[in-house]
């Protein structure tokens, strides 16, 4: 089964600041969760490097890509918001 990409579509169009703030909070929370998961590797803990399985390394690589995509989405959305 092929996984669906999370950021295939364009970011949603947001017209008011309260919707934008909600969207930013949701993206921020997702980003924090991904970054927390990244911190569980041997690179950022007392675990030995040999304890990281190839699957763990692949998951970490995917998470890094997602974090970059979320950061880009946040940056694009923030620039597009008109403060009324």
């Amino acid at each position: 089964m092929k996984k669906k990409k999370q950021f295939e579509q364009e970011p949603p169009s947001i017209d008011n600041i309260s919707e934008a703030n909600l969207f930013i909070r949701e993206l921020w929370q997702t980003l924090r969760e991904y970054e927390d998961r990244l911190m569980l590797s041997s690179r950022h803990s007392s675990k030995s490097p040999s304890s990281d399985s190839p699957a763990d390394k692949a998951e970490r690589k995917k998470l890094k890509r997602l974090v970059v995509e979320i950061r880009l989405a946040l940056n694009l959305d923030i620039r597009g918001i008109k403060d009324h």
Side-chain angles (χ1 to χ4, degrees):
M1 179 194 265
K2 194 172 184 179
K3 281 191 169 184
K4 180 184 169 194
K5 290 184 180 180
Q6 280 189 308
F7 299 102
E8 277 184 345
Q9 302 172 354
E10 291 295 316
S13 177
I14 299 174
D15 297 326
N16 66 51
I17 195 74
S18 61
E19 285 180 20
N21 283 332
L22 178 62
F23 183 69
I24 289 168
R25 274 190 241 114
E26 289 172 2
L27 284 175
W28 193 262
Q29 181 62 34
T30 302
L31 177 64
R32 289 181 70 192
E33 289 170 8
Y34 288 147
E35 287 179 331
D36 288 345
R37 286 174 57 190
L38 283 171
M39 298 301 285
L40 297 177
S41 73
S42 63
R43 297 177 76 193
H44 305 289
S45 71
S46 60
K47 292 170 50 178
S48 68
S50 61
S51 67
D52 289 345
S53 70
D56 290 339
K57 291 175 186 175
E59 178 70 14
R60 191 166 53 246
K61 198 174 194 177
K62 281 192 264 183
L63 287 173
K64 284 181 184 178
R65 268 188 255 128
L66 280 172
V67 167
V68 168
E69 289 181 35
I70 291 170
R71 287 184 183 274
L72 287 172
L74 276 171
N75 196 19
L76 290 174
D77 286 335
I78 291 170
R79 278 194 249 149
I81 296 171
K82 295 176 186 167
D83 201 7
H84 296 287

